[in-house]
């Protein structure tokens, strides 16, 4: 589950904001263009989708790397030692 800071980090990656809690009312836009409450609220679903995509990519990348190492003749224990 995304936090307000996660959402702002996704929507305003250059920073310039401060948040206290996870509510729009807790945001202070210090050195950035403010976003709307609707953008902030929609950002939670956007962040969750982005995070799920990143997690799935990490799993796929790890599986691909393990398959390449197995193709080189490494044992499961050797692959585990390299990838963990």
């Amino acid at each position: 589950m995304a936090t307000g800071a996660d959402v702002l980090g996704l929507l305003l990656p250059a920073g310039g904001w401060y948040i206290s809690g996870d509510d729009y009312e807790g945001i202070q836009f210090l050195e950035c263009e403010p976003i709307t409450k609707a953008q902030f609220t929609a950002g939670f679903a956007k962040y969750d989708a982005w995070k799920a995509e990143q997690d799935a990519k990490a799993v796929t990348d790890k599986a691909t790397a393990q398959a390449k190492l197995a193709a080189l003749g490494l044992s499961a224990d050797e692959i585990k030692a390299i990838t963990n």
Side-chain angles (χ1 to χ4, degrees):
M1 182 71 174
T3 66
D6 293 334
V7 171
L8 288 174
L10 181 68
L11 299 176
L12 300 168
W17 50 265
Y18 170 81
I19 187 168
S20 175
D22 287 324
D23 297 327
Y24 182 79
E25 291 74 20
I27 304 171
Q28 293 179 17
F29 298 100
L30 306 171
E31 297 175 6
C32 64
E33 190 68 31
I35 60 171
T36 66
K37 185 173 185 175
Q39 289 172 312
F40 179 71
T41 301
F44 282 88
K46 185 176 180 180
Y47 180 87
D48 288 341
W50 173 83
K51 181 69 172 139
E53 182 180 305
Q54 295 302 308
D55 292 348
K57 183 181 180 318
V59 169
T60 300
D61 289 349
K62 185 174 180 178
T64 300
Q66 289 175 338
K68 288 179 181 179
L69 292 171
L72 294 173
L74 296 174
S75 70
D77 288 338
E78 291 169 326
I79 292 170
K80 184 176 180 181
I82 293 170
T83 59
N84 290 333

